[in-house]
Amino acid sequence: FRTVFFMPNLIGGIVLGYIWSMIFDGILIRYGTSILLSTKYGFIGLLILMAWQQIGYMMIIYIAGLQSGPDDLLEAARIDGAGLFHIYFRVALPLCIPTLATLAVTTFMESWNDYLWPLLMLTDRNKMTLPIALSTLNGQYNTEYNVLMAGSLISMYSSSAPPSSAAAFSVM
C-alpha cells in the first residue's frame, strides 16, 4: 500500500496533469462541459491533482514519525490497559507533533511557492495565486524589488486583516 500511495509522487507532474485532464473530461463530458471551458473545473482539478500527488509523500513522513516513537511507552500503555484509540491519541500522536509540524511547514511552503501549475492552468485573474500575481508587478527587463516587497507586505496584511479592510489592500 505504501508503494501505491507513493507512486503519484514519482510520476512527473505533466504526465499526472494529462492523466487527470482525461479523467475529468471523461466525467464532465456527461454534463456537456469540459475542463477547458470552465475555470471552476480547472481550479478544482488542480486542487485534486496536487492533493493526490502529495498524499504519498506526507504518508511516508508521517509513518516515519510514528515508527520513531519509543516502543517502551507503547508497551507501558498496553500494560496499563489502554486500548488502541487511547494509545494512538494519548501516546503516539503527541510524540508525532514534530512530524506534524514538519508536514505543515513543508506543505505551506510548497503551496506558497507553487508557481508552474497555476501559471499554466489558471487564466482567470481573480483566481491567480499570490506568486503569480506578484510576478505581474515585475518590470519588463529588471526586477523591481521595492514593488515586490510592497506587494508581499500588503498581501500578508490583507490575509490577516478583517474582511472589511482586506478589500482595500488586495494585490490583484
Side-chain angles (χ1 to χ4, degrees), residues 11-74:
I11 299 172
I14 294 174
V15 174
L16 282 177
Y18 185 68
I19 290 170
W20 276 97
S21 175
M22 291 188 326
I23 291 171
F24 285 133
D25 279 340
I27 293 170
L28 293 175
I29 199 83
R30 294 180 182 213
Y31 299 105
T33 188
S34 171
I35 198 168
L36 300 174
L37 297 177
S38 174
T39 57
K40 178 176 79 170
Y41 296 123
F43 184 70
I44 292 169
L46 180 66
L47 290 177
I48 291 172
L49 170 71
M50 295 306 290
W52 186 67
Q53 188 177 17
Q54 294 304 315
I55 284 174
Y57 172 72
M58 290 183 219
M59 180 201 63
I60 295 292
I61 293 176
Y62 184 69
I63 289 174
L66 281 175
Q67 291 175 344
S68 69
D71 292 334
D72 301 342
L73 290 175
L74 300 175

Side-chain angles (χ1 to χ4, degrees), residues 83-160:
L84 289 175
F85 182 79
H86 287 287
I87 289 173
Y88 178 73
F89 282 103
R90 302 239 172 137
V91 178
L93 194 60
L95 290 173
C96 286
I97 289 177
T99 304
L100 295 174
T102 301
L103 285 174
V105 168
T106 57
T107 303
F108 173 77
M109 286 176 24
E110 183 175 318
S111 62
W112 179 267
N113 293 328
D114 193 16
Y115 184 78
L116 181 62
W117 279 111
L119 181 65
L120 294 174
M121 301 291 270
L122 302 176
T123 56
D124 188 7
R125 286 188 60 86
N126 294 329
K127 293 184 179 168
M128 281 186 178
T129 61
L130 188 61
I132 294 175
L134 288 176
S135 71
T136 61
L137 298 175
N138 262 345
Q140 184 175 0
Y141 298 110
N142 59 353
T143 303
E144 298 181 21
Y145 290 107
N146 55 353
V147 175
L148 287 175
M149 292 302 117
S152 298
L153 182 67
I154 290 171
S155 65
M156 284 188 289
Y157 174 76
S158 66
S159 64
S160 64

